[in-house]
Amino acid sequence: MNATIAKLREIIRPYVKELDALENLTQETDFINDLKINSANLVDIVLDIEEAFDIEIDNQSMEKMLSVRAALEIIDEKLAGKA
């Protein structure tokens, strides 16, 4: 598991209702359907991701961030843009 996924898991852990799904986290994991995270908490997660990775996530990117894969792609894209 790469470092970004490990960091993401720690960020979302406080918001997850399905801990079994968190333990089996993959790029295919859906935040709402698999982890049972509500939409208000998704906003908190985005804010936590911004702080943890020192990036800014725009509203358009935020709306796409519904799965682990989408979150990783957005984080990587924003980090690359900072370089």
Side-chain angles (χ1 to χ4, degrees):
M1 180 182 303
N2 76 34
T4 306
I5 289 182
K7 198 168 182 178
L8 186 61
R9 174 183 283 177
E10 292 311 308
I11 291 169
I12 63 177
R13 181 179 300 280
Y15 305 103
V16 172
K17 305 248 186 300
E18 290 294 324
L19 292 178
D20 288 345
L22 182 66
E23 292 309 312
N24 299 310
L25 191 79
T26 69
Q27 288 197 19
E28 307 310 316
T29 302
D30 182 281
F31 291 138
I32 295 170
N33 296 324
D34 297 329
L35 300 176
K36 309 297 186 220
I37 296 171
N38 67 39
S39 56
N41 284 344
L42 275 178
V43 173
D44 292 331
I45 288 169
V46 169
L47 295 173
D48 291 349
I49 288 171
E50 287 182 325
E51 186 175 325
F53 291 94
D54 191 28
I55 56 177
E56 192 171 310
I57 299 172
D58 55 82
N59 288 342
Q60 186 177 359
S61 295
M62 190 185 305
E63 290 169 11
K64 295 178 190 169
M65 200 181 284
L66 298 175
S67 69
V68 172
R69 179 185 308 277
L72 293 173
E73 287 172 358
I74 291 165
I75 291 167
D76 288 344
E77 175 187 311
K78 300 300 180 185
L79 288 173
K82 285 181 60 178

